[in-house]
Amino acid sequence: MKANGYYNHPRFPLEAGCGLIEEDSIAFTSDSGKTTETPSFPLEIFPKAIRDIIEALEEYENYNVDFTAASFLTVFAAAMGNTWSVRFMTGWISRPIIYMVLVGSPSCGKTPPLQQAVAPLLKLDGEYDMTYCKEMETYRRWERMSAKQRERHSLPEEMKMPKRKCHVVVDSTVEALIGALRDNPRGVLIYKDEIDSLLSNFNRYNGSDEGYFLSLFSGTPFKYSRKSNNEHIFLANPYCSIIGSTQPGRLDEQFGGKRMMNGFSSRFLKVYPEIDKMPSWNDTAMPDGVLEEWERIIRKV
């Protein structure tokens, strides 16, 4: 470990293949001392229907397979949320919580596959918002009525304020995230095109922000108190995945130093493929139904 706090690891050198720094080499040295090629994303983990979509996006849209597959994996996991878990042994239960960051130089094609992967969840959230607005309109109308008016319109004496249902959270404050987790026990996905907009705000208003995300990765229960309104929130099974992108030159600042020592950096899967040329336009049209199939899969999940 270097004393200057640079992102480093005693077993692996700082190579582009490890997602650490920007270099021409894509090889890294294993424990045996042998030099191997940087592995690409193992597409065989996906069922054929998803593999076909990823390969079609590569063929017709020139999407990088590693960026697309990593984005699809994270979004699929977020769609599952708390509905599935794995018990490795008594007391050791894990859920599909993923912290993912796509690493590459500007204009290398990180954003399009990320946007494509998240699109079905955002579309669902748009539908949820329409329902929420209607429910809030009904609630506000009920709130303005007197007891006699409610009785006259056959409305209940008590009515709970509607909760905003969502899959994706873009507000990076811990307070907003905790509220979303409370209202969505199935879980949420933090989606940041630039992950720095999340990391740079850590500890700005609350010195324990980073600690919350360390705990969230394990899905361990925790309590949160909002001093503003004296509200106490208990999350028994918090689920939160994270996905975003960054540039190679920002890795040391974002994941080095203390964040490497306390395990924060290790929680993030860093996808840093070797890209020898920037993606270009493709005149061949995408076959009908490819993107619709991805949306159908996510809605089913």
Side-chain angles (χ1 to χ4, degrees), residues 68 79 93 162:
T68 307
I93 298 176

Side-chain angles (χ1 to χ4, degrees), residues 109-141:
K110 303 185 299 292
T111 298
L114 182 52
Q115 291 178 335
Q116 200 67 70
V118 179
L121 292 184
L122 292 175
K123 187 174 181 180
L124 278 169
D125 283 2
E127 296 170 8
Y128 296 154
D129 275 351
M130 292 179 63
T131 301
Y132 174 77
C133 289
K134 292 178 181 178
E135 291 175 346
M136 279 300 298
E137 184 179 347
T138 301
Y139 176 80
R140 296 301 184 195
R141 188 165 55 247

Side-chain angles (χ1 to χ4, degrees), residues 3 14 45 66 68 72 94 114 120 142 165 180 190 194 243 256 275:
L14 295 178
I45 70 166
D66 292 339
T68 307
F72 274 37
S94 293
L114 182 52
W142 172 90
K165 186 178 179 182
I190 295 180
E194 291 290 338
I243 192 166
I275 299 177

